[in-house]
Amino acid sequence: MPAEILVDNICSHLVETFADESSKESILDKFKTAIRWYVNRYQVVTNSNKRRKVASPTCGTCHISLFRPFVCLHCDYAGCWTDQHIAGHLRDECHQFCADAKTGATYCSECEDFIYDPILRDVYSSTILSMEEKHTRFQVLSKRREPFQSWVPSEKDNAALEQAPPVPCQGRRGLLNLGQTCFFNVILQSFVHNPLLRNYFLGDKHNWRQCKTENCTCCEMDKLFAEIYSDDNSTPYGPHTFLATTWRASAELAGYAQQDAHEFFISALNQIHATSRGSTEVSCNCIIHSTFAGQLQSDVKCERCGNVTSTVDPMLDISLELKGIKNGSGSSTRGSPTTLGTGDNNSNNNLAACLRRFTQPEKLGPKEYSCSKCAKSSHEASKRLSIRKLPPVLSFQFKRFEHKGLDKSSSTRKIESQIRFPATLNMAPYTTLYMRKSEKENNNTNNGSFTSYPGPDSIYEYDLFAVINHEGQMNNGHYTNFARFGDEWYRFDDDKVTHTTLGACLKSAAYMCFYVKRHLDYKPHMTPSYVRAREAEAAKERELEKEKEAARIKELEDALLATV
């Protein structure tokens, strides 16, 4: 039963008892003791390596050993529920409350029913978590471990592995369409199959049972991952609470009208960022910025004096224009699992061409730029974008929807062109470091030769893990998506999940693509920039104080020498 319904039915007898701090402390201590006993007993029973026995309490009336005792919260009595011995004890001793050691359910003798209390619920959850952490804590074995030996499969092992059918992944669970919510489902599936988000939420970095934030999107993400990766994933899951939280947080997405998947993607990132740990206004290290955040650099060059003005802006995704691409299927070939780099073809219907257009210089109008060096408006200036910092996960959106007017209600059309995108992507040619190096080398050699990538290629390589497709027209279309788990690919159409191939994914009409960095850079905890700046200022002040003190001492010494 939801907690919101039970809040109005809190037992008045327990509230009155908790008004006395000593009585409250005594009841909570006995409640915790009962829960700890059951967790210890459960660990001993389920772990065959432990031989230590935990004594079971016996019923104070019939003296039968109890595996699931009901414990009086006023004294040391434990009794059985089946024969109502615990109820008789409460009645005879004029005690009010007892608790089930297994579930924490609390019974009130005056209400003659089980009761709900948020304090007991929180104490139960925190006690369970603390005891589980204690039992799962790593302990050094008393005997030395055997030396590691790598396993080399024999011919028989190889034959068995080749004949073994692929094991389906746990995350292949469909999502129910709650009323034109296909845009909602495809973004959630991209989150579910994002390896960084998956490791974060399945690693219990955010626990919805412990979080006290209202309308918390991180709590909904935690519930989503728990449902998708649960043992019982044979039926589709309906994320209705996630949808309600989204409506409360973003009024523009509320209702059952068809929405744009990219708009919900940006809104969801903002909501998760706002409700996650590490979210700050100065130096954010929340899960969203740790996963999607990169930096774009804009270089504006004055053609008269050569002055370059650079600005750096944060980015969470990259939107790519499809202008200039011919509509229709044409005779172009579909995508293939190759790596895009400087050696791909010059056709306009692939991801590399879109990125080249995104990073190529563009002329600015006469009133769009004023050179700080020339001190007047320049009629000749160019602007160029480049990626200064690559994020762990790259998200691309292809701008398939064009609005001829200023608002969305104006005439719109959809660009149906097939966009080829690769299974692996090299982002080096679009980085600031590579462009500067390439421009410098070309100026020195004037032959336009290929520029080697700064650093190893591995730091620029990305692998495709999810694709979102839009079928139909803008007002009556439908979203589907492909996602990868391990080496297996699946197609998600709301609640329908089918096994597919990488080739089928690469031939789809992509609206959004998601790539994850092949080699992630794990860094130790870094001090935020504002803390480093504050420490640097403090160090400068200390140096100034030392200089002043040295000058004062020298002045005193000079005065003493003058008197001598």
Side-chain angles (χ1 to χ4, degrees), residues 65-125:
S65 181
L66 301 174
F67 179 75
R68 184 178 175 179
F70 277 74
V71 180
C72 178
L73 298 181
H74 301 272
C75 64
D76 296 332
Y77 180 89
C80 55
W81 179 262
T82 305
D83 296 329
Q84 294 295 304
H85 292 156
I86 183 65
H89 167 78
L90 297 179
R91 182 177 59 255
D92 297 338
E93 299 295 331
C94 296
H95 291 169
Q96 290 180 298
F97 308 107
C98 69
D100 181 1
K102 179 180 180 180
T103 63
T106 307
Y107 178 83
C108 176
S109 61
E110 296 191 23
C111 296
E112 295 184 350
D113 198 0
F114 287 92
I115 60 175
Y116 168 83
D117 184 79
I119 298 177
L120 293 177
R121 179 200 62 188
D122 294 339
V123 170
Y124 174 78
S125 300

Side-chain angles (χ1 to χ4, degrees), residues 389-444:
K389 178 184 176 183
L390 288 168
V393 172
L394 270 172
S395 169
F396 297 108
Q397 179 224 5
F398 299 110
K399 295 183 178 180
R400 290 191 174 274
F401 306 117
E402 286 188 342
H403 303 273
K404 294 184 179 180
L406 297 178
D407 56 356
K408 294 184 179 180
S409 61
S410 59
S411 177
T412 60
R413 74 181 186 96
K414 179 185 175 183
I415 301 176
E416 298 284 358
S417 301
Q418 183 71 31
I419 305 299
R420 292 192 298 139
F421 53 95
T424 58
L425 177 66
N426 192 311
M427 289 296 294
Y430 319 107
T431 59
T432 304
L433 192 61
Y434 174 83
M435 289 183 178
R436 286 184 175 179
K437 183 179 179 182
S438 177
E439 184 177 358
K440 183 178 180 180
E441 292 184 1
N442 290 338
N443 291 336
N444 294 335

Side-chain angles (χ1 to χ4, degrees), residues 364-385:
L364 297 180
K367 296 183 180 180
E368 294 183 90
Y369 172 70
S370 179
C371 181
S372 59
K373 190 174 182 180
C374 296
K376 59 181 179 179
S377 178
S378 174
H379 292 276
E380 296 180 357
S382 61
K383 176 183 177 181
R384 185 173 193 175
L385 293 176

Side-chain angles (χ1 to χ4, degrees), residues 9 16 163 192 200 238 254 311 366 467 479 482 484 487 526 557:
N9 298 327
E16 183 179 353
Q163 296 177 1
V192 166
Y200 180 85
T311 57
V467 176
Y479 286 100
F482 292 84
R484 173 175 62 88
D487 294 330
M526 298 181 63
E557 291 177 350

